[in-house]
Amino acid sequence: MTGPLPSLTYDVAIVGAGVVGCAIARALARHPHLRVALVEARDDVGDATSKANTAILHTGFDAAPGSLEARLVREGSRQLAAYAAESGIPVETTGALLVAWDQEQLAALPRLVEKAERNDYHATRILGPTDLYEREPHLGPGALAALHVPGESIICPWTTTLAYATQAVRHGVDLHLNCRVENLSRQNDTHVLGTDRGTLSARWLVNAAGLHADTLDRQLGHDDFTVTPRRGQLIVFDKFARGLVGHILLPVPTALGKGVLVAPTVYGNVLLGPTAEDLDDKGATHSTADGLQLLRDKGRRILPELLDEEITAVYAGLRAATEHDDYRIRAYAGQSYVTVGGIRSTGLTASLAIAAHVTKLLTDIGLDPGPARELEPVRMPNLGEAFPRPHQRPELIAADPEYGTLVCHCERVSRGEIRDALASTIPPRSMDGLRRRTRARAGRCQGFYCGAAVRALFEGAGA
């Protein structure tokens, strides 16, 4: 994963180890005759857009009917739900309520029902104010109605990306971290990737570089899209707020996205956000006073009591928005190249379907993947509150007392979980990476009490 790059020529190189790039690597790992490289600029998988989203498993009810995104979200939602159950990724089907606060939004609800049906989702129902407030008694005053979407779910995005990457690596994919692609060229039917760790060669190339997908695309002579980073700031409220909300509370969507929502998380918190700020800086993942004030103002209307709860954290993520309304997934036969651009907030949900689509595109333009095999399943550590955690399992603690020794008390993380993460197939290379694998230091004290103990374990493992 680190050190000098191999001198061999890979069959396929994938640039970008976010949730989509890792899903593609996993799909190609089903073909044992392919030598595949997954190349990532950062020191961990899922360390950019994929780690900082609203963690929703969408039904695709409100996607643009007939679009590639609509199809892949619809297919991917079913596939990821099944994969999560197999792999131990926490998912909770909470359902969503799109709340109408004025007459214009109220008039839009029947159109959203029609849109959902065109997307082959037939379970939506419009609720009047009485039904709505029975379901969500803490909702702010003045809501006129809501569209109920029972299939919307919450999921752990950290574990999803890591599960894909773990399966890929265990089945022969070479993961190259801290390996930023600085330039691309094509020489004698081979892609040559100039990276800050040396040169890497591959016959076929998949560009899943997220915010930087347009830059790589242009280096191969294309001008199909421009990524404009869209910043989404979010506020995370402490677990005491969880009883205030049962559903994902959504506004009626706009052209900029789904708007500011209030949603529970599988970790037991409540999210408020995101903003939708189009920027020029692809590294602007800081929060702003104006952005957080906007969220507080929106949240006060949606769920007034939420603003009285303790804030655990704030964070911001950048979505790869483009000037187009659909994903930009294109195959170029003459270059043995597929670009996967403009994958916005639905990319987590659609990831497995995107991977299957990209694999088909590669074979359509000439890649011979050879025979396929079934992948050995993975079983990921559970980070969700709705399922038993190690410290709640007496039989596990009896077999290994380390699972009963808590290190992070806010999030109930044991020494055994930290030990397992540090010895895993793709171990963390930073304290943040360890947090995404265990929840250590993610609680209300943000590591104030446990930080030194967690760091001692991390450094003691030689990380």
Side-chain angles (χ1 to χ4, degrees):
M1 297 180 192
T2 57
L5 295 176
S7 58
L8 62 91
T9 297
Y10 287 96
D11 295 303
V12 185
I14 304 157
V15 179
V19 69
V20 170
C22 289
I24 294 168
R26 174 187 174 275
L28 293 176
R30 294 183 62 244
H31 303 278
H33 292 167
L34 291 180
R35 191 72 190 268
V36 179
L38 180 58
V39 182
E40 169 55 43
R42 296 175 179 252
D43 69 357
D44 200 3
V45 299
D47 192 38
T49 298
S50 298
K51 74 179 180 185
N53 55 42
T54 50
I56 294 174
L57 180 55
H58 297 286
T59 58
F61 77 97
D62 62 342
S67 65
L68 179 63
E69 180 178 16
R71 176 171 71 83
L72 296 180
V73 169
R74 185 167 60 246
E75 295 172 0
S77 179
R78 292 190 291 264
Q79 293 171 8
L80 181 49
Y83 181 79
E86 172 191 279
S87 305
I89 298 166
V91 173
E92 294 180 51
T93 303
T94 60
L97 294 168
L98 279 78
V99 181
W101 297 95
D102 57 38
Q103 291 297 325
E104 182 181 359
Q105 295 174 4
L106 180 63
L109 296 186
R111 294 195 295 271
L112 285 169
V113 172
E114 294 172 6
K115 193 177 196 180
E117 290 175 348
R118 291 174 64 192
N119 282 318
D120 199 28
Y121 188 81
H122 304 282
T124 61
R125 185 164 68 95
I126 296 176
L127 305 179
T130 300
D131 286 347
L132 172 58
Y133 281 98
E134 283 180 356
R135 290 174 179 269
E136 291 292 348
H138 300 281
L139 194 67
L144 303 179
L147 182 67
H148 183 216
V149 188
E152 296 281 297
S153 304
I154 54 176
I155 189 171
C156 176
W158 305 332
T159 310
T160 304
T161 305
L162 185 61
Y164 294 162
T166 297
Q167 246 180 334
V169 169
R170 287 181 181 175
H171 289 84
V173 170
D174 287 351
L175 173 61
H176 300 297
L177 298 170
N178 290 314
C179 191
R180 183 179 301 278
V181 176
E182 298 174 332
N183 56 76
L184 285 174
S185 62
R186 190 153 163 77
Q187 302 171 14
N188 301 321
D189 296 329
T190 300
H191 293 281
V192 179
L193 287 66
T195 82
D196 55 1
R197 282 179 48 202
T199 299
L200 187 145
S201 301
R203 298 180 181 87
W204 299 80
L205 179 66
V206 177
N207 171 9
L211 292 166
H212 302 281
D214 57 341
T215 302
L216 298 186
D217 206 45
R218 287 191 173 94
Q219 291 188 19
L220 290 174
H222 307 292
D223 191 17
D224 184 45
F225 61 94
T226 298
V227 171
T228 300
R230 182 168 293 161
R231 181 167 59 195
Q233 301 183 49
L234 297 106
I235 299 174
V236 183
F237 289 88
D238 197 22
K239 293 177 175 60
F240 290 113
R242 181 63 180 84
L244 295 176
V245 60
H247 299 73
I248 302 163
L249 300 179
L250 297 165
V252 177
T254 70
L256 282 179
K258 299 182 186 299
V260 174
L261 58 82
V262 173
T265 75
V266 294
Y267 319 116
N269 303 95
V270 176
L271 287 181
L272 171 63
T275 58
E277 312 156 57
D278 286 345
L279 308 172
D280 296 323
D281 183 358
K282 294 183 178 181
T285 56
H286 57 279
S287 299
T288 66
D290 288 345
L292 298 179
Q293 185 59 52
L294 181 147
L295 293 181
R296 285 191 288 266
D297 292 343
K298 296 278 189 181
R300 188 170 288 109
R301 183 179 195 185
I302 301 167
L303 208 67
E305 294 171 65
L306 184 62
L307 276 295
D308 297 327
E309 298 293 333
E310 294 287 338
I311 292 174
T312 297
V314 299
Y315 67 92
L318 297 176
R319 289 159 276 174
T322 73
E323 68 274 35
H324 302 283
D325 294 330
D326 203 355
Y327 294 164
R328 308 306 292 174
I329 303 178
R330 298 287 181 87
Y332 299 91
Q335 291 181 305
S336 302
Y337 169 61
V338 174
T339 184
V340 187
I343 310 300
R344 295 159 299 189
S345 58
T346 54
L348 170 62
T349 299
S351 53
L352 290 174
I354 292 172
H357 182 63
V358 169
T359 302
K360 184 177 185 303
L361 288 178
L362 287 168
T363 57
D364 286 347
I365 63 173
L367 174 68
D368 179 8
R373 60 181 170 181
E374 290 299 317
L375 299 179
E376 289 293 322
V378 293
R379 193 70 187 173
M380 304 304 292
N382 167 48
L383 301 187
E385 285 296 297
F387 310 91
R389 301 278 304 286
H391 75 276
Q392 297 169 317
R393 298 174 57 190
E395 79 288 354
L396 193 63
I397 296 169
D400 187 344
E402 291 282 87
Y403 292 116
T405 304
L406 295 184
V407 178
C408 171
H409 288 262
C410 293
E411 296 298 293
R412 304 292 192 268
V413 182
S414 67
R415 284 179 60 96
E417 292 167 273
I418 293 173
R419 176 203 63 201
D420 293 350
L422 294 170
S424 63
T425 302
I426 305 173
R429 285 169 171 75
S430 69
M431 293 282 279
D432 283 345
L434 182 60
R435 175 175 53 84
R436 290 192 295 274
R437 286 161 174 79
T438 64
R439 284 175 42 186
R441 297 167 53 252
R444 64 180 349 211
C445 86
Q446 290 289 289
F448 181 83
Y449 291 105
C450 69
V454 173
R455 179 168 290 280
L457 292 171
F458 176 73
E459 293 177 349

